[in-house]
Amino acid sequence: MALQGINLPLAFTGQEAIWQKVFKSFNVTDSDLDEFFGGPAFLAWARMGNLHAWGGPLSQNWLDQQLALQKKILSRMIELGMIPVLPSFSGNVPVVFRKLFPSASITRLGDWNTVDADPRWCCTYILDPSDALFIDVGQAFIKQQIKEYGDITSIYNCDTFNENTPPTNEAAYISSLGSAIYEAMSRGNKDAVWLMQGWLFYSDAAFWKEPQMKALLHSVPIGKMMVLDLFADVKPIWQMSSQFYGVPYIWCMLHNFGGNIEMYGVLDSISSGPIDARTSYNSTMVGVGMCMEGIEHNPVVFDLMSEMAFRSQKVKVEDWLKTYSYRRYGQSNVEIQKAWGILYHTIYNCTDGIADHNKDYIVEFPDMSPSSFSSQFSKQRSTSLARKHPRFFLSEVSASLPQPHLWYSTKEAVKALELFINAGNDLSKSPTFRYDLVDQTRQALSKLANKVYLDAMNSYQKNDSSGLNFHTKKFLELIVDIDTLLASDDNFLLGPWLESAKSLGMTEDERTQYEWNARTQVTMWYDVTKTEQSKLHDYANKFWSGLLKSYYLPRASKYFARLSRSLQENRSFQLEEWRLDWISYSNEWQSAKDLYPVKATGDALAISRSLFAKYFG
């Protein structure tokens, strides 16, 4: 991170241990906290007040272990000249606060994506920033961090209104809330600077108009707040807010949702956006940043974005890519340069303004009956909220069947893949080349699978049993083939994810819990009933060998088997029966303990060549 110029990193690890000490000083018990803290794979959403207890409880081993890790992280950050950003109090409190402080202004938030509003994890509680207790808790948290870590920073993050709308749009009220939040920080550290995500101004734009934005942004002295223009690579807020109305901000690239594996990028925006912002009239931009939900993908995007902190001029991407490919593979190659030229103008040139979230049918199988959508499979795009979650703004859908995001010519992308394969004899010893080759082959096959899925649905609509069987077989075969491909590179394996989770456990119960957390996050994600999947199922989907064969393949197989049977028996597709079967299987998979490889097997180049010949030759 330091070598890439990162000097203001978030340092959120171990905060639950700090909260345990703070809340105990307010007479909250360990059992109360068991119902408050989220599990290891869901900490971020528990911290934001979206949920509570899901995946928990957190053991004392976990709390102690994470606090010790945080101290090592902070020590290293400071050694490297970085300024850590520590968390602060956003108002999220355990439910027991209502009993302990009956006169306090505490609001129960609405449901956030549960299936049936189960109170075990639904509907968290927010202490009103205008309540005097808010300042008491807030400064206690800051002071406890200083006691544990020392006086190492003055930058604190707080996002009280992130996906939580204030109860009124009155500017005076919003300003008072902002002032109270800052007062809690500054009482704990007189030099405190508030670092705030600007995501709310995008995700809840209907609420945050100019008066409301100004009220919040100007509720603290200028210079005591910095805003992260979180989605500036696609939806920059600085342009429509007069540079955040004079408040310093950081131009950020979001890029990824859910840690999904999909080749995607907006290289032109990254190569010019920060320069445009910095050189614009009355610019208040003070830096660049990266705020992705996942990072193990699209290295070209992160490589270029990291450079923008050091550049004063716009980057000529085509020329930059020639240098990049040489650095990445260790030698120059004409075919590779041609391939990257194609990738630049296709996969890495998304200009449609859609927030990319991988919805390829293999990894996010539609949870619907084929009789509920049109046989025409309209290509028309419309903007809708596919799910009640701000992360799903600007999702691409057809008339009724969700359509995976596609912004480029797949034929051109296949040409780039062929050029990569042709360069394989010269470059196959390079691990970075093999990674890119596997990723491109995966992407091409996954997009092909989307078409095959639609062909299968079309056959069903036409009562074409033989066509349905043909396309079903091809779709399932693609899943198996992609799994084999992914198994040839260490970066696309399920095994390391599960083993790393288990390795954190100090008891058998902890190892079981942590594995369940790891399995659940990348599959069903949240709660279910017997016949209703989680509203966030597949949010964090992954193209990982092991996950395709053991999870995505059985799901599609069960669905298509029932689809075929419905044609044979001349009856409607029984969606609820499939859901009952599938959800039961998913529950078992999430709780299973079977092992998966942690080392790659197979020749990536040979497999890519074989699959290219099979599907595109």
Side-chain angles (χ1 to χ4, degrees), residues 42 50-55 111-123 367 387 516 520-521 523-539 551 582-584 586-587 590:
F42 303 96
N50 301 134
L51 53 82
H52 62 93
W54 180 251
D111 179 35
W112 186 87
N113 286 304
T114 64
V115 170
D116 55 3
D118 191 321
R120 288 177 295 172
W121 25 82
C122 163
C123 310
D367 180 28
R387 299 172 180 167
W516 182 90
T520 298
Q521 191 207 70
T523 53
M524 199 59 81
W525 209 102
Y526 209 8
D527 64 330
V528 299
T529 65
K530 289 185 177 180
T531 57
E532 188 173 356
Q533 294 196 73
S534 160
K535 291 181 180 179
L536 295 176
H537 72 86
D538 301 310
Y539 178 80
Y551 192 82
W582 165 241
I583 293 171
S584 175
S586 182
N587 287 336
Q590 291 165 243

Side-chain angles (χ1 to χ4, degrees), residues 222-237:
I222 295 294
K224 290 297 184 178
M225 175 187 281
M226 285 191 295
V227 181
L228 301 176
D229 197 355
L230 209 71
F231 204 13
D233 52 325
V234 176
K235 297 291 179 181
I237 301 298

Side-chain angles (χ1 to χ4, degrees), residues 177-330:
L177 295 187
S179 296
I181 291 168
Y182 180 70
E183 184 177 354
M185 288 183 198
S186 59
R187 284 200 187 181
N189 183 335
K190 62 180 177 60
D191 299 318
V193 175
W194 179 1
L195 182 70
M196 184 186 74
Q197 291 186 53
W199 175 257
L200 70 169
F201 302 134
Y202 162 70
S203 67
D204 198 4
F207 177 90
W208 293 100
K209 302 298 186 182
E210 182 176 341
Q212 292 74 32
M213 288 181 68
K214 281 184 174 180
L216 179 58
L217 294 170
H218 293 167
S219 64
V220 302
I222 295 294
K224 290 297 184 178
M225 175 187 281
M226 285 191 295
V227 181
L228 301 176
D229 197 355
L230 209 71
F231 204 13
D233 52 325
V234 176
K235 297 291 179 181
I237 301 298
W238 69 268
Q239 292 177 330
M240 47 76 65
S241 64
S242 300
Q243 310 265 354
F244 291 96
Y245 305 110
V247 173
Y249 75 95
I250 296 174
W251 193 103
C252 295
M253 176 188 80
L254 187 84
H255 184 258
N256 177 269
F257 294 87
N260 300 151
I261 296 174
E262 165 136 89
M263 293 178 68
Y264 158 84
V266 287
L267 295 186
D268 281 343
S269 173
I270 294 169
S271 67
S272 61
I275 308 300
D276 288 337
R278 186 182 59 80
T279 59
S280 62
Y281 179 71
N282 280 341
S283 175
T284 57
M285 175 184 158
V286 294
V288 296
M290 294 182 281
C291 302
M292 54 280 151
E293 289 192 357
I295 197 170
E296 285 85 14
H297 50 77
N298 292 297
V300 66
V301 173
F302 295 102
D303 203 306
L304 179 57
M305 187 64 220
S306 297
E307 286 192 18
M308 296 312 297
F310 302 94
R311 290 184 174 270
S312 58
Q313 301 293 326
K314 296 180 181 181
V315 176
K316 295 180 179 179
V317 179
E318 203 130 26
D319 293 337
W320 181 87
L321 283 170
K322 293 176 183 178
T323 305
Y324 169 80
S325 63
Y326 178 81
R327 287 188 287 113
R328 184 157 176 78
Y329 310 129

Side-chain angles (χ1 to χ4, degrees), residues 54-220:
W54 180 251
L58 297 178
S59 70
Q60 193 62 48
N61 285 338
W62 171 272
L63 296 171
D64 295 342
Q65 178 190 60
Q66 292 295 295
L67 182 59
L69 177 60
Q70 169 75 335
K71 290 180 179 179
K72 291 180 180 179
I73 292 170
L74 292 173
S75 176
R76 187 64 171 148
M77 286 179 174
I78 293 167
E79 183 182 339
L80 292 169
M82 297 174 168
I83 301 174
V85 177
L86 293 176
S88 63
F89 181 49
S90 64
N92 188 23
V93 293
V95 62
V96 73
F97 254 52
R98 294 194 305 171
K99 294 180 180 179
L100 294 172
F101 307 99
S103 62
S105 178
I106 298 174
T107 303
R108 184 177 187 264
L109 297 179
D111 179 35
W112 186 87
N113 286 304
T114 64
V115 170
D116 55 3
D118 191 321
R120 288 177 295 172
W121 25 82
C122 163
C123 310
T124 55
Y125 293 83
I126 292 291
L127 176 61
D128 194 316
S130 64
D131 195 293
L133 184 60
F134 186 99
I135 294 175
D136 293 340
V137 176
Q139 69 173 322
F141 182 63
I142 298 291
K143 287 181 176 179
Q144 186 63 41
Q145 289 186 105
I146 293 174
K147 181 179 178 180
E148 292 285 346
Y149 311 139
D151 189 6
I152 59 171
T153 187
S154 58
I155 314 295
Y156 298 93
N157 169 251
C158 183
D159 295 301
T160 297
F161 309 117
N162 189 50
E163 301 183 9
N164 292 318
T165 303
T168 175
N169 65 0
E170 293 181 6
Y173 178 78
I174 293 171
S175 180
S176 69
L177 295 187
S179 296
I181 291 168
Y182 180 70
E183 184 177 354
M185 288 183 198
S186 59
R187 284 200 187 181
N189 183 335
K190 62 180 177 60
D191 299 318
V193 175
W194 179 1
L195 182 70
M196 184 186 74
Q197 291 186 53
W199 175 257
L200 70 169
F201 302 134
Y202 162 70
S203 67
D204 198 4
F207 177 90
W208 293 100
K209 302 298 186 182
E210 182 176 341
Q212 292 74 32
M213 288 181 68
K214 281 184 174 180
L216 179 58
L217 294 170
H218 293 167
S219 64
V220 302

Side-chain angles (χ1 to χ4, degrees), residues 293-540:
E293 289 192 357
I295 197 170
E296 285 85 14
H297 50 77
N298 292 297
V300 66
V301 173
F302 295 102
D303 203 306
L304 179 57
M305 187 64 220
S306 297
E307 286 192 18
M308 296 312 297
F310 302 94
R311 290 184 174 270
S312 58
Q313 301 293 326
K314 296 180 181 181
V315 176
K316 295 180 179 179
V317 179
E318 203 130 26
D319 293 337
W320 181 87
L321 283 170
K322 293 176 183 178
T323 305
Y324 169 80
S325 63
Y326 178 81
R327 287 188 287 113
R328 184 157 176 78
Y329 310 129
Q331 66 183 83
S332 181
N333 183 285
V334 174
E335 288 179 304
I336 286 294
Q337 289 183 2
K338 290 180 181 177
W340 271 109
I342 294 173
L343 293 174
Y344 166 44
H345 292 293
T346 53
I347 289 175
Y348 290 112
N349 188 37
C350 184
T351 58
D352 59 17
I354 293 176
D356 187 65
H357 191 280
N358 196 341
K359 296 180 180 295
D360 287 348
Y361 294 132
I362 287 177
V363 293
E364 188 168 320
F365 201 80
D367 180 28
M368 59 196 304
S369 169
S371 60
S372 67
F373 51 79
S374 167
S375 62
Q376 301 302 311
F377 298 107
S378 170
K379 298 296 182 182
Q380 178 184 358
R381 292 176 178 174
S382 64
T383 299
S384 78
L385 281 175
R387 299 172 180 167
K388 291 179 66 178
H389 186 283
R391 291 287 188 267
F392 292 94
F393 275 92
L394 295 174
S395 54
E396 182 183 0
V397 296
S398 71
S400 52
L401 175 69
Q403 294 283 332
H405 185 198
L406 186 61
W407 63 97
Y408 62 91
S409 164
T410 55
K411 289 183 178 180
E412 288 299 303
V414 168
K415 289 179 183 178
L417 172 58
E418 185 174 19
L419 288 167
F420 255 78
I421 291 173
N422 291 341
N425 288 338
D426 295 333
L427 300 176
S428 62
K429 291 183 179 180
S430 164
T432 47
F433 169 81
R434 295 195 301 271
Y435 173 92
D436 290 348
L437 176 63
V438 169
D439 205 18
Q440 283 190 69
T441 308
R442 173 209 56 75
Q443 180 104 349
L445 294 175
S446 180
K447 300 309 176 188
L448 175 62
N450 291 339
K451 180 181 182 303
V452 174
Y453 170 87
L454 294 176
D455 289 341
M457 294 300 103
N458 200 32
S459 294
Y460 178 85
Q461 295 283 353
K462 295 177 179 178
N463 293 317
D464 179 3
S465 182
S466 61
L468 173 62
N469 291 337
F470 174 82
H471 296 303
T472 293
K473 180 182 177 182
K474 187 173 182 179
F475 187 84
L476 300 180
E477 194 171 350
L478 275 161
I479 297 178
V480 174
D481 284 342
I482 295 174
D483 191 283
T484 301
L485 167 74
L486 298 175
S488 68
D489 191 286
D490 289 341
N491 296 284
F492 297 96
L493 304 179
L494 171 64
W497 170 253
L498 299 182
E499 295 305 315
S500 64
K502 288 186 287 184
S503 70
L504 296 173
M506 298 179 68
T507 68
E508 189 58 35
D509 285 346
E510 288 177 0
R511 285 187 283 273
T512 297
Q513 178 192 6
Y514 300 166
E515 181 171 6
W516 182 90
N517 268 255
R519 285 171 174 258
T520 298
Q521 191 207 70
V522 299
T523 53
M524 199 59 81
W525 209 102
Y526 209 8
D527 64 330
V528 299
T529 65
K530 289 185 177 180
T531 57
E532 188 173 356
Q533 294 196 73
S534 160
K535 291 181 180 179
L536 295 176
H537 72 86
D538 301 310
Y539 178 80

